[in-house]
Amino acid sequence: MHTASAATKLFFAHALLPGGWARDVILTIENGAITAVADNSSSAGAEIIKGVALPGMPNLHSHAFQRAMAGLTELRGETQDSFWTWRQLMYRFIDTLTPDDVETIAAYAYAEMLEGGFTSVAEFHYLHHDASGAPYGDLAELASRIASACVETGIGLTLLPVFYNFSGFGGAAPVHGQRRFINDPARFLSLLERSREVIKPVTDAAIGIAPHSLRAVTPETLAEVLKAVPSCPIHMHIAEQVKEVEDCIAWCGQRPVSWLLDHVDVNQRWVLIHATHLTPEETAGIARSGAVVGLCPLTEANLGDGIFEGLRLIEAGGVFGVGSDSNIEISAFGELKQFEYSQRLLHRVRNAVSRHAGESTGRALYEHALTGGAKASGRAIGALAVGKRADIVVLDDAHPDLCGVSGDRWLDAAAFVAGKSAISSVYVGGKQVVEGGRHLKRSGITERYRRVVQRLASL
Ligand code: ZN
């Protein structure tokens, strides 16, 4: 329920609007949304905010609970480590997580996201059941804990309940480590309905669905779920790993993205997470479909997934956004930098993503990811414009790396040099949540998080 509130007016000496940089900007905000944007304005009657206003970055892919595993899997095992050995450790890690743990870890991750420039999160939520694999009394118990963490931290939410039915291509039976994820289509649809209820306390939250991967569904169960949910974003992990591509070919004779494009109506609603291993035809097909590619460059590097051919997607007119995925490091600028550097290393060039002489790479990266991230979220975000949520990241223009420059150079300095230390304050729906680079509830959330990780470490 929303009660009407008086309009808030925030004044910024500099702001990045859809048409470019503007001076002396007043954003009028009502019920969390921007209702007027005026540049070349006097600050009279407005709250003056020091710094440079940017649209907040949507995080299009997160598994919040994995934040508590960060740093625990960086030692070599008996065999050559890979995504698949990491996944074994992740399955063991979740054995002991309680609903309270999930909420605390998510609150910690979301506070870090806000400090790191992400003002909303698309939570790809696949931990559904208790440690024995039985549903909780409330099927959406753990989704409600994600929602509570969003309420506490103030981050915007697109909740993506995950449909996870099988363990491998062709309907292989789930393994023990997956017992907390598994639902058949009927129970998944009940979970989805219940999830719509539990996100209601989160202001302006949206819901989508996430068939986990082609490994986790069959063509029949995927079709059944898609038919039952005719609108809302659809997110899916796809073609992250070479082995996954090989297993898919062994199953059906086609690569995962080729199979999906040929058998499912992939359109503007779709978000293909990772899509690391593509043929040029698959890249062109994704671009034509209008689907967003969800890149998670820091996690993809950490897991050794491979390098996404980003320039090929951009040249084909495709759209991408960024996500923090395993939350090994949480930073919007960090994701953009890692993506750009992957392209530089791959093609042995500099300023890979910018397309014409004089174009700023920091600005090009930021605007690409805003567009893709907003589209993937299914919410009115991603721009300082009338009708959008007032999600604002403020850069500190007195920061040593930013104080001598202006305009696009601020974004270049933030993306490539200062990182999240360039962020001074953050607003979500017009409400301040970060001040001086720190989440307003940081101390209490950190104290709770410390107790959880200490207990998990002692098990
Ligand atoms: Zn993921």
Side-chain angles (χ1 to χ4, degrees):
M1 194 183 310
H2 304 294
T3 48
S5 60
T8 307
K9 289 177 188 287
L10 302 180
F11 174 89
F12 299 91
H14 302 273
L16 183 61
L17 303 182
W21 291 103
R23 292 292 306 261
D24 300 333
V25 173
I26 290 188
L27 301 177
T28 304
I29 300 159
E30 292 175 66
N31 293 322
I34 298 171
T35 53
V37 180
D39 61 355
N40 301 311
S41 297
S42 126
S43 61
E47 185 185 346
I48 299 171
I49 313 293
K50 279 167 85 165
V52 177
L54 304 176
M57 183 62 69
N59 181 348
L60 60 59
H61 190 68
S62 160
H63 311 288
F65 75 85
Q66 292 179 10
R67 175 63 185 83
M69 286 176 64
L72 300 182
T73 62
E74 308 299 331
L75 73 173
R76 194 178 171 115
E78 293 295 322
T79 57
Q80 178 63 60
D81 288 291
S82 68
F83 169 87
W84 307 101
T85 59
W86 172 87
R87 195 179 73 157
Q88 280 310 114
L89 292 166
M90 186 263 284
Y91 286 177
R92 285 218 294 278
F93 176 77
I94 61 168
D95 276 356
T96 56
L97 290 181
T98 66
D100 283 346
D101 294 342
V102 168
E103 182 173 336
T104 298
I105 297 167
Y108 188 76
Y110 296 163
E112 283 194 327
M113 284 179 201
L114 289 159
E115 293 173 354
F118 289 119
T119 44
S120 65
V121 61
E123 180 65 29
F124 197 104
H125 174 65
Y126 62 85
L127 197 55
H128 300 309
H129 308 313
D130 74 14
S132 76
Y136 287 101
D138 179 350
L139 204 47
E141 170 68 33
L142 295 181
S144 79
R145 299 312 190 106
I146 295 293
S148 297
C150 292
V151 170
E152 181 175 17
T153 57
I155 199 165
L157 174 66
T158 299
L159 182 70
L160 303 163
V162 171
F163 175 49
Y164 206 126
N165 201 178
F166 300 105
S167 76
F169 290 99
V175 300
H176 182 72
Q178 295 163 336
R179 67 197 178 283
R180 301 189 74 174
F181 320 154
I182 300 298
N183 289 297
D184 62 17
R187 193 164 74 184
F188 171 72
L189 293 172
S190 302
L191 169 67
L192 180 65
E193 283 318 301
R194 182 66 196 135
S195 299
R196 290 184 201 279
E197 295 299 313
V198 303
I199 62 168
K200 282 185 176 162
V202 188
T203 307
D204 193 50
I207 202 148
I209 58 168
H212 177 273
S213 56
L214 289 180
R215 287 181 271 123
V217 300
T218 59
E220 296 75 24
T221 59
L222 176 62
E224 191 176 341
V225 165
L226 293 178
K227 192 163 161 247
V229 189
S231 60
C232 86
I234 306 163
H235 291 224
M236 178 186 260
H237 292 127
I238 197 156
E240 178 177 7
Q241 285 283 321
V242 170
K243 179 180 184 302
E244 175 193 345
V245 175
E246 291 167 352
D247 289 353
C248 188
I249 292 170
W251 164 62
C252 69
Q254 277 188 294
R255 304 165 61 83
V257 169
S258 294
W259 185 90
L260 194 74
L261 291 170
D262 280 358
H263 293 85
V264 177
D265 175 24
V266 177
N267 54 35
Q268 307 266 346
R269 292 171 63 199
W270 281 77
V271 183
L272 304 183
I273 304 298
H274 307 302
T276 312
H277 301 287
L278 301 178
T279 64
E281 294 71 29
E282 288 176 316
T283 305
I286 292 173
R288 272 196 306 276
S289 74
V292 175
V293 176
L295 302 174
C296 307
L298 290 168
T299 293
E300 288 153 9
N302 183 270
L303 294 179
D305 287 346
I307 298 177
F308 177 78
E309 288 265 11
L311 302 189
R312 199 192 273 163
L313 182 77
I314 292 168
E315 276 157 21
V319 181
F320 70 86
V322 292
S324 63
D325 194 3
S326 69
N327 297 312
I328 180 76
E329 179 185 343
I330 299 179
S331 166
F333 291 124
E335 297 292 351
L336 298 176
K337 178 172 77 171
Q338 178 70 31
F339 173 58
E340 168 68 19
Y341 282 177
S342 72
Q343 303 306 298
R344 292 185 186 190
L345 290 164
L346 182 63
H347 298 287
R348 287 173 276 174
V349 297
R350 298 195 69 253
N351 294 314
V353 164
S354 50
R355 299 278 82 193
H356 56 78
E359 184 179 11
S360 148
T361 303
R363 168 113 175 246
L365 288 162
Y366 203 82
E367 290 189 329
H368 270 292
L370 280 177
T371 304
K375 198 171 168 190
S377 80
R379 301 176 58 235
I381 54 176
L384 300 180
V386 171
K388 305 291 188 188
R389 302 293 297 171
D391 292 356
I392 308 161
V393 166
V394 184
L395 297 182
D396 173 12
D397 55 358
H399 188 288
D401 294 321
L402 279 73
C403 65
V405 297
S406 65
D408 290 349
R409 296 293 86 69
W410 282 320
L411 282 169
D412 292 335
F416 293 101
V417 193
K420 62 184 172 186
S421 76
I423 296 170
S424 51
S425 56
V426 176
Y427 295 75
V428 181
K431 216 175 134 212
Q432 186 168 16
V433 291
V434 169
E435 183 178 19
R438 236 178 116 79
H439 192 277
L440 296 172
K441 296 180 182 167
R442 183 64 134 122
S443 302
I445 290 171
T446 302
E447 202 41 55
R448 276 158 49 212
Y449 178 75
R450 195 176 276 130
R451 283 198 295 273
V452 168
V453 290
Q454 281 170 343
R455 186 180 64 76
L456 291 173
S458 71
L459 294 172

